[in-house]
Amino acid sequence: MRFDFPNLPPSSNHAYTNMRGGGRTLSSEGRAWKRDTAAYLAQNYGLRLPKFSTELPYVVVVTFHLQVFNETFGAKNGAKSRYKKRDTSNLWKLLADVLVPFLGIDDSQFTSEVLRKKNSVKEHTTVEVWEDRTERLNTSDALVVMAENLGYSG
């Protein structure tokens, strides 16, 4: 199943806040994004959601569409790296917290989580989830199957 979100989740630094006395909790920005995204899922995918089993493993591939390249790289006094410093691993947590209850599964059932960056002017997020039929395969064979599921052929 593929889910297309019109934006990127807030980073963990914006989605969570430190509590007095220790611990972390959702910030107002995190709560608002979580609420709005849950409503977006229900409105856009609720009627066509397939049955996800609590007994099966799943693969999730998350693609963050964002500006990946530094435009000034290579120019005099330009960026030192071709790639923008953008940590996408901390974007997945809040998205997973919204997606997992919507699917009716537990995040422990994600046996493979792939986070990708794709260069784009318009920021948005794509999530693909499918049953992991590669659970008993070695890693390289499992990656070939996952690539085929994403439309890559080798």
Side-chain angles (χ1 to χ4, degrees):
M1 174 95 195
R2 179 183 166 129
F3 303 92
D4 294 300
F5 298 91
N7 55 21
L8 297 176
S11 71
S12 294
N13 294 334
H14 291 272
Y16 298 93
T17 186
N18 294 323
M19 298 185 328
R20 291 179 203 200
R24 289 178 59 85
T25 189
L26 272 175
S27 67
S28 58
E29 181 181 352
R31 280 192 304 276
W33 190 88
K34 193 173 178 180
R35 180 195 62 237
D36 294 347
T37 302
Y40 175 85
L41 279 170
Q43 181 179 19
N44 291 281
Y45 297 98
L47 295 177
R48 56 188 176 114
L49 186 68
K51 176 81 170 125
F52 283 82
S53 171
T54 58
E55 304 298 319
L56 294 173
Y58 293 96
V59 172
V60 61
V61 177
V62 182
T63 304
F64 298 106
H65 303 264
L66 46 87
Q67 190 172 0
V68 174
F69 303 112
N70 276 317
E71 296 172 1
T72 62
F73 176 68
K76 186 178 180 181
N77 298 323
K80 293 181 177 150
S81 171
R82 180 176 182 211
Y83 302 98
K84 288 187 174 262
K85 292 188 178 203
R86 184 75 186 262
D87 178 13
T88 55
S89 61
N90 71 16
L91 301 178
W92 167 230
K93 172 68 175 131
L94 190 59
L95 180 55
D97 288 348
V98 174
L99 189 61
V100 164
F102 181 73
L103 299 177
I105 62 174
D106 186 84
D107 58 3
S108 65
Q109 292 175 249
F110 290 140
T111 52
S112 294
E113 299 174 345
V114 179
L115 305 179
R116 302 173 58 222
K117 294 180 195 177
K118 189 167 185 181
N119 195 51
S120 176
V121 175
K122 182 181 182 308
E123 292 187 343
H124 61 285
T125 307
T126 303
V127 178
E128 296 172 89
V129 181
W130 64 83
E131 182 184 339
D132 186 356
R133 293 190 174 104
T134 68
E135 196 174 26
R136 290 182 172 70
L137 296 178
N138 65 44
T139 301
S140 60
D141 290 340
L143 289 171
V144 168
V145 171
M146 283 187 247
E148 290 170 352
N149 281 336
L150 288 169
Y152 297 103
S153 60

